[in-house]
Amino acid sequence: MARLIVQTDGLGLQAIELRLGVNRVGRHADCEVCLPHTTVSSHHAELALSNDGVYLRDLNSTNGTFLNGQPVTESWLVAGDQIKFGDVELTVESTHAHIAIPEYERGEPAPAAPVILESGALACPRHAWVPATFRCTVCSEVMCNACVRILKLKGGTPHYHCRLCSNHCERIAQIGTGKKKGFLEKLQDTVMLKFSHRKEKE
C-alpha cells in the first residue's frame, strides 16, 4: 500500500498508509490524514490513490503545498518525493496500491441482484431511483454520476474512477423502452402495415 514517512517531530506520527480513493490531508479531525500542526490548514490537500499511483492536489491551503521544494497545486507523486504541507515534511516511500479481490466463502450471502428500472436500465446501488451511468472495469461495480469519482488533470480530460476500488470506470450505454422510433423504423412499420392489409383482402 502507498506509504508516507513523516519527517517532522512532535506530531505523534511516524508513517502514514493511504487508503484507496481520496485521502484528505489537514488539521481537522475528519481528515483521513490528520496533521495537527498550526501551519496546516483544516482541509489542506488531497492524496488520491488509485492503480495509477498517487495524485496530489492542494485545496487552496493558507501556507501552501510544496513538492521537492517547489510550490504545487496538482501533481503525480513518485517514491522519494519530498512533500511539505505548511511546515510539515513527509517523504513518499511508496505509491503502489494493493487491491484485494474479496472471496465469497460457502454459506456467505451472495451480493444482492442488480435492480432494473422500468426503462430497462440498471439502477445505482446507492440511489435506487437513478440509472447507473458508469461501470468499473475491474470490480464491475455500477454507479451513477453522483457516485463516480472524477479526477481531472489541469487542462486535461476527466478520468472516472470507481468509488470502491478506485480503478477506471467506463460509461454504460443506456437502454430505454420509451425510445422514439426513427424515420426508417416508422417507414418500415408503414410498409409492413400495407402488406398485412393486402393479405387480409386477398
Side-chain angles (χ1 to χ4, degrees), residues 58 86 144:
D58 183 77
C144 65

Side-chain angles (χ1 to χ4, degrees), residues 31-115:
C31 292
E32 287 76 17
V33 180
C34 183
L35 301 175
H37 196 278
T38 55
T39 63
V40 177
S41 297
S42 296
H43 297 92
H44 197 104
E46 288 180 347
L47 294 167
L49 173 61
S50 68
N51 60 332
D52 294 324
V54 179
Y55 192 75
L56 167 67
R57 184 166 72 94
D58 183 77
L59 298 178
N60 297 317
S61 59
T62 301
N63 294 311
T65 299
F66 296 82
L67 178 61
N68 298 321
Q70 299 298 319
V72 66
T73 54
E74 297 183 21
S75 180
W76 286 99
L77 301 179
V78 297
D81 277 344
Q82 302 292 322
I83 311 172
K84 281 185 69 176
F85 301 114
D87 289 338
V88 177
E89 298 184 23
L90 303 96
T91 301
V92 179
E93 183 179 83
S94 171
T95 59
H96 297 296
H98 174 68
I99 301 173
I101 300 175
E103 296 182 1
Y104 293 97
E105 297 180 0
R106 190 173 297 176
E108 186 176 348
V115 177

